[in-house]
Amino acid sequence: MIGMKAAPESSEITISVFTRHKANCEHKDEPQHRKCTCRKHLYIYRDGKVSYRTARTRSWAKAEALAVEERARYDPAQILKRKLEAEAKAAEERERTSAITVEAALDLWLGGFKGQSDSTAKTYRILRRKISSWAATKGITLLRDVTAAQLDTWRGAWSLDASRVEDRMGLRTQGQFQTRLKAFFSWAYVMEYIPKDPAKALKPIKCEDEETQPLTATQFEKLMEAISHYDEDRRRDEDKFGVELKALCLVMRWTGLRITDVLMLPRTALVGNRLTLTTQKTRSQTTPVLPDHAVEALKGIPKRPGVHPGYFFWSLNSAPDTLGKHWAERIRSLNPRLNFKDEHGKSMQFRSHMLRDTFAVEMLLAGVSLEDVSRMLTHKSIKTTEKYYAPWVRARRQQLDEKAIAAMQKMGATFSTAKV
């Protein structure tokens, strides 16, 4: 270029300003002229190569300021300075994030979930409470202080009869809780709040042994008998809930509703033999039909102090979770009179969910399709129904075997034993 210096032969960096004049500029032969309004550019020589760059200005002073910035970019002292500053900033950020508390990390994690259903939001509130409670009992404040050994020991304490209320979980619930627990720590690791993931080593919790447990007809009769004696074991009238317990169990048995859904029923939900409600967990609208004796039991619940007159069981002053826990305790108190055993002969504690299991299994055995039973249970997917009910019911398997045997006998097949 006319007027420009030849490129230096050394490996040094040269950055200078020059003017690229318009054709009619009187200084067009003077690239170093500063005062005209023609556009200014940068001449750059680096690593033996020449390049040009617009300064995006007509001001020589502004172009020179840009040249100074560019020179600083390649100045070894400036490069080292920026590197040290970046390292210091990164170390400061690592220290800041690694000092995050368990509570703050949980808030950030849960804050990232958008558009949750009520049931999902409730699940994560419970998760937050359990983690916070456990950390508090261990004196853990910072998330980075949680160790794999501590989590493994905590996991070993989970059971239906755990000493800590927060740790009382069935096997299926344990598996679901651990999945979410691992997701939380994995997120914290990816976000660099912790140097390593302490939950990564936790082995999966297998739930195959936690089978569906429907009641037999005999067991259900024993349950009704135990409920008839419930009030005898209570001294105070305000503790006698035998009438309510009978209605609660009958409605669950004949509708498959979850316990909280029944406990929150308003009296207006019952019209004739039909209930109309929206379930708490899946927010599904359902209209199950009750047999006469269940309707009579529900209508027979008296209005009592502490219960809202428009409801069968609920005062409206307690949260659904609290309501469910109170009645779960009353149901557990029936077990000394029951002495139930499962199909393998092992002792089992009666739980309200067994009534939902009973409804589902009896419907399947009566020939109701899996799809229809799934809708009755307000499951979001038929896969859920199939997972929890169809594979584990011995009576259903036996029924299918008998149908298969009968069909093969019609084809001329014979069987050496009466039962296969």
Side-chain angles (χ1 to χ4, degrees), residues 14 59 83 93 116 132 145 210 356 363:
T14 299
S59 165
K83 181 180 178 181
E93 179 64 14
Q116 295 177 326
S132 297
D145 293 336
E210 189 180 6
R356 182 171 166 85
M363 284 294 174

Side-chain angles (χ1 to χ4, degrees), residues 296-326:
E296 292 172 3
L298 204 52
K299 287 183 175 180
I301 295 177
K303 294 182 180 181
R304 64 158 71 209
V307 177
H308 191 280
Y311 286 77
F312 294 108
F313 305 92
W314 194 21
S315 67
L316 292 185
N317 295 324
S318 61
D321 286 350
T322 304
L323 180 67
K325 288 178 181 178
H326 285 329

Side-chain angles (χ1 to χ4, degrees), residues 72-84:
R73 284 182 57 197
Y74 301 108
D75 182 356
Q78 292 296 323
I79 292 173
L80 178 60
K81 179 182 177 182
R82 288 194 298 270
K83 181 180 178 181
L84 294 175

Side-chain angles (χ1 to χ4, degrees), residues 32 55 76 92 141 185 195 249 261 291 308 319 324 333 344 349 371 403:
Q32 299 301 311
E92 182 181 344
T141 301
F185 280 102
C249 291
D261 291 326
H308 191 280
S333 70
H344 306 295
Q349 295 290 298
E371 292 85 352
K403 288 182 179 180

Side-chain angles (χ1 to χ4, degrees), residues 5 7-8 10-16 43-46 51 71:
K5 294 185 295 183
S10 66
S11 60
E12 68 180 21
I13 297 171
T14 299
I15 301 175
S16 60
Y43 163 85
I44 303 172
Y45 174 82
R46 181 170 178 258
S51 62
R71 293 183 194 113

Side-chain angles (χ1 to χ4, degrees), residues 211 343-344 361 365 389-401:
E211 298 185 351
E343 59 182 4
H344 306 295
V361 170
L365 294 177
Y389 295 100
W392 294 324
V393 182
R394 176 180 292 177
R396 179 172 171 80
R397 292 198 299 267
Q398 182 178 343
Q399 187 183 65
L400 294 175
D401 286 345

Side-chain angles (χ1 to χ4, degrees), residues 108-356:
L108 288 171
W109 184 56
L110 296 177
F113 292 100
K114 305 296 182 182
Q116 295 177 326
S117 65
D118 291 343
S119 61
T120 301
K122 170 185 171 184
T123 298
Y124 281 102
R125 285 198 300 271
I126 293 173
L127 174 77
R128 189 193 195 290
R129 188 184 70 232
K130 285 180 180 293
I131 296 175
S132 297
S133 172
W134 170 77
T137 61
K138 296 299 177 183
I140 298 172
T141 301
L142 300 180
L143 190 66
R144 68 186 181 192
D145 293 336
V146 177
T147 68
Q150 288 172 325
L151 290 179
D152 191 56
T153 301
W154 183 27
R155 188 181 87 141
W158 301 342
S159 69
L160 284 173
D161 56 354
S163 58
R164 291 181 69 251
V165 174
E166 295 290 358
D167 295 342
R168 292 175 186 170
M169 295 178 276
L171 200 59
R172 187 181 303 165
T173 304
Q174 291 176 35
Q176 295 169 343
F177 177 74
Q178 178 172 288
T179 297
R180 297 184 180 99
L181 180 72
K182 288 172 73 72
F184 166 63
F185 280 102
S186 176
W187 166 85
Y189 173 70
V190 170
M191 297 299 292
E192 299 182 351
Y193 291 133
I194 48 178
K196 58 183 178 180
D197 180 357
K200 188 175 182 179
L202 294 179
K203 296 179 180 179
I205 296 176
K206 297 181 180 180
C207 305
E208 290 85 355
D209 294 332
E210 189 180 6
E211 298 185 351
T212 300
Q213 293 179 317
L215 300 181
T216 64
T218 301
Q219 287 173 331
F220 188 74
E221 289 178 4
K222 288 183 178 179
L223 174 63
M224 292 292 102
E225 176 65 19
I227 290 174
S228 70
H229 295 289
Y230 180 86
D231 291 346
E232 296 175 8
D233 300 329
R234 272 80 195 162
R235 294 182 179 180
R236 302 187 306 173
D237 289 341
E238 57 266 34
D239 294 330
K240 296 179 178 180
F241 289 95
V243 173
E244 287 90 342
L245 273 173
K246 179 181 178 181
L248 174 63
C249 291
L250 284 173
V251 173
M252 290 187 67
R253 160 65 184 87
W254 292 104
T255 64
L257 289 173
R258 300 175 182 86
I259 185 171
T260 306
D261 291 326
V262 179
L263 293 173
M264 295 177 68
L265 282 173
R267 291 181 180 268
T268 54
L270 179 64
V271 178
N273 287 67
R274 187 178 298 279
L275 290 172
T276 302
L277 68 146
T278 299
T279 63
Q280 291 294 305
K281 185 172 184 178
T282 61
R283 306 308 300 171
S284 302
Q285 292 186 338
T286 183
T287 56
V289 177
L290 284 172
D292 289 338
H293 67 291
V295 172
E296 292 172 3
L298 204 52
K299 287 183 175 180
I301 295 177
K303 294 182 180 181
R304 64 158 71 209
V307 177
H308 191 280
Y311 286 77
F312 294 108
F313 305 92
W314 194 21
S315 67
L316 292 185
N317 295 324
S318 61
D321 286 350
T322 304
L323 180 67
K325 288 178 181 178
H326 285 329
W327 283 91
E329 291 175 3
R330 290 166 182 154
I331 287 172
R332 280 195 294 270
S333 70
L334 296 169
N335 277 296
R337 287 184 175 271
L338 295 174
N339 192 28
F340 282 168
K341 296 184 183 299
D342 63 19
E343 59 182 4
H344 306 295
K346 295 181 180 179
S347 296
M348 68 178 187
Q349 295 290 298
F350 172 67
R351 296 175 290 108
S352 64
H353 200 82
M354 292 177 178
L355 297 170
R356 182 171 166 85

